[in-house]
Amino acid sequence: MSFISIRSVTKSYSKGKSMITPLENLSLDVPKGEFLALMGPSGSGKTTLLNLVAGIDTPTSGELVIQDRDIANLSRAELTRWRSVHVGYIFQLYHLVPILSAYENIELPLLLGKFSKSERKAKIIAALELVGLSDRAHHRPSELSGGQEQRVAIARAIVHDPGLLVADEPTGDLDRESADSILNLLNDLANKHGKTIVMVTHDPKAAAAAHRTLHLEKGQLIENLQPAH
Ligand code: ADP
Ligand code: MG
């Protein structure tokens, strides 16, 4: 059974009087623990697909089952609750709160659940350790490098232990060295911690760090045509 099972999903938006359909009859299976890269031209629907998988948006039609739960027909409120338990989202520009320390940023998703202060502390310390930033807990984002900011953002995405991580261009704003270390971290999260990861990227080196790459073109997914590495 796939961790993510997408069957004939179509997503349309109305734009004035006309309709735009970035995803048409798309199907995809992602096994648990896979690190999947999605590539494709700008406007091809990568973020749209990521937002469906993350439960931020719902398909116009089709089936979307994640970890045995059909999320295509959940209400807004049900979707929000589902997402807060099962999904971690990683952004290109980190989206950290500037006036909060790394520790406090990582705490944010836990404030949505019923965790005691000491339970939260244990989880935050474990997440900081996992991303290699135990010594930066009390730094603010402006006191960190871009690569370190993205590590804090990844710690925030995993602190509530979701099975699924989605990442939209997570290395798009980083130098090569920082990007490579973030890709290693994502690889470890899949290989050692069993996270299922869907990452959008424009960078062929980032895609090569994933287990599999798919290209989104004209609403459809195409297998990578490059030779296997
Ligand atoms: P990508 O991430 O591959 O650049 P997107 O998924 O952001 O592409 O967008 C795919 C298409 O859907 C684009 O034409 C975009 O303008 C359109 N689109 C995305 N989100 C919305 C929305 N909320 N309302 C209307 N159109 C949208
Ligand atoms: Mg996008």
Side-chain angles (χ1 to χ4, degrees):
M1 178 87 196
S2 301
F3 188 90
I4 301 173
S5 171
I6 300 177
R7 287 284 166 277
S8 307
V9 157
T10 294
K11 178 66 183 178
S12 302
Y13 299 109
S14 51
K15 213 171 191 181
K17 284 181 197 151
S18 64
M19 291 282 274
I20 171 159
T21 303
L23 306 177
E24 191 159 18
N25 250 320
L26 181 144
S27 295
L28 169 67
D29 280 284
V30 184
K32 179 172 164 18
E34 180 166 61
F35 179 11
L36 175 69
L38 285 178
M39 301 188 85
S42 182
S44 60
K46 303 181 296 297
T47 298
T48 299
L49 179 55
L50 216 53
N51 288 345
L52 293 182
V53 166
I56 287 171
D57 209 347
T58 51
T60 307
S61 64
E63 242 178 68
L64 177 51
V65 178
I66 298 183
Q67 235 182 336
D68 302 328
R69 182 87 192 262
D70 182 354
I71 65 161
N73 301 303
L74 296 184
S75 70
R76 279 279 146 199
E78 288 170 326
L79 205 54
T80 302
R81 204 173 320 127
W82 176 84
R83 192 171 66 229
S84 72
V85 174
H86 295 286
V87 185
Y89 209 115
I90 301 160
F91 305 90
Q92 176 174 356
L93 296 173
Y94 331 127
H95 289 202
L96 299 175
V97 180
I99 59 161
L100 299 182
S101 66
Y103 185 101
E104 292 163 332
N105 268 285
I106 297 165
E107 188 172 29
L108 290 174
L110 297 178
L111 299 175
L112 299 170
K114 347 184 209 347
F115 302 104
S116 69
K117 194 172 176 193
S118 64
E119 283 171 327
R120 294 202 300 272
K121 184 172 181 185
K123 287 174 190 292
I124 297 162
I125 287 173
L128 275 164
E129 199 165 318
L130 207 154
V131 302
L133 281 182
S134 302
D135 57 344
R136 293 289 188 277
H138 302 295
H139 287 58
R140 287 187 180 181
S142 61
E143 298 162 341
L144 298 170
S145 71
Q148 289 172 333
E149 284 188 83
Q150 192 59 298
R151 284 173 181 275
V152 172
I154 292 172
R156 179 185 57 187
I158 61 173
V159 71
H160 55 303
D161 201 22
L164 173 63
L165 295 177
V166 297
D168 202 347
E169 292 274 356
T171 59
D173 212 51
L174 298 175
D175 60 78
R176 185 75 263 158
E177 196 184 331
S178 306
D180 287 345
S181 87
I182 291 297
L183 292 164
N184 279 333
L185 177 55
L186 292 175
N187 228 296
D188 281 352
L189 287 169
N191 293 336
K192 297 188 188 157
H193 301 272
K195 304 294 182 195
T196 304
I197 306 177
V198 183
M199 171 182 74
V200 164
T201 186
H202 281 111
D203 175 7
K205 270 201 81 179
H211 299 155
R212 176 164 67 127
T213 302
L214 295 172
H215 292 259
L216 197 49
E217 271 176 53
K218 301 194 176 80
Q220 297 290 320
L221 283 168
I222 305 160
E223 283 277 353
N224 198 4
L225 301 173
Q226 289 162 8
H229 57 276

Coordinates of all heavy atoms in Angstrom, one line a residue, residues 20 22 40-46 48 202 216 218-219:
I20 N -8.5 27.5 -15.4 CA -7.2 27.1 -15.6 C -7.0 25.7 -14.9 O -7.5 25.6 -13.8 CB -6.1 28.1 -15.2 CG1 -4.7 27.6 -15.2 CG2 -6.4 28.7 -13.8 CD1 -3.7 28.6 -15.3
P22 N -4.2 23.3 -13.9 CA -2.7 23.0 -13.8 C -2.5 21.4 -13.7 O -1.5 21.0 -14.2 CB -2.2 23.7 -12.6 CG -3.4 24.3 -11.9 CD -4.6 24.2 -12.8
G40 N 9.9 20.7 -13.2 CA 9.0 21.1 -14.2 C 9.1 22.6 -14.4 O 9.5 23.3 -13.5
P41 N 8.7 23.1 -15.6 CA 8.8 24.5 -15.8 C 7.9 25.3 -14.8 O 7.0 24.8 -14.2 CB 8.2 24.7 -17.2 CG 7.8 23.4 -17.7 CD 8.1 22.3 -16.7
S42 N 8.2 26.6 -14.7 CA 7.4 27.5 -13.9 C 6.0 27.5 -14.4 O 5.7 27.5 -15.6 CB 8.0 28.9 -14.0 OG 7.4 29.8 -13.2
G43 N 5.0 27.4 -13.5 CA 3.6 27.4 -13.8 C 3.1 26.1 -14.2 O 1.9 26.0 -14.6
S44 N 3.9 25.0 -14.1 CA 3.5 23.7 -14.5 C 2.6 23.0 -13.4 O 2.1 21.9 -13.7 CB 4.7 22.8 -14.8 OG 5.6 22.7 -13.7
G45 N 2.5 23.6 -12.3 CA 1.6 23.0 -11.3 C 2.3 22.3 -10.1 O 1.6 21.6 -9.3
K46 N 3.6 22.5 -10.0 CA 4.3 21.9 -8.9 C 3.8 22.2 -7.5 O 3.6 21.4 -6.7 CB 5.9 22.2 -9.0 CG 6.5 21.9 -10.4 CD 7.9 22.2 -10.4 CE 8.3 23.7 -10.3 NZ 7.7 24.5 -11.4
T48 N 1.0 23.6 -6.8 CA -0.4 23.1 -6.7 C -0.4 21.6 -6.2 O -1.2 21.3 -5.3 CB -1.1 23.2 -8.1 OG1 -1.1 24.6 -8.5 CG2 -2.5 22.7 -8.1
H202 N 14.2 23.1 -8.8 CA 14.7 23.4 -10.2 C 16.1 22.9 -10.4 O 16.7 23.0 -11.5 CB 14.7 25.0 -10.4 CG 13.4 25.5 -10.7 ND1 12.7 26.3 -9.8 CD2 12.5 25.4 -11.7 CE1 11.5 26.6 -10.3 NE2 11.4 26.1 -11.5
L216 N 6.9 17.4 -14.2 CA 5.5 17.8 -14.4 C 5.4 18.7 -15.6 O 6.1 19.7 -15.7 CB 5.0 18.6 -13.2 CG 3.5 18.8 -12.9 CD1 2.7 17.5 -13.0 CD2 3.3 19.4 -11.6
K218 N 2.5 19.9 -18.7 CA 1.1 19.9 -19.2 C 0.2 19.1 -18.4 O -0.6 18.3 -18.9 CB 1.1 19.5 -20.7 CG 2.0 20.3 -21.6 CD 1.7 20.0 -23.1 CE 2.5 20.9 -24.0 NZ 3.9 20.5 -24.1
G219 N 0.3 19.3 -17.1 CA -0.7 18.7 -16.2 C -0.4 17.2 -15.9 O -1.2 16.6 -15.2

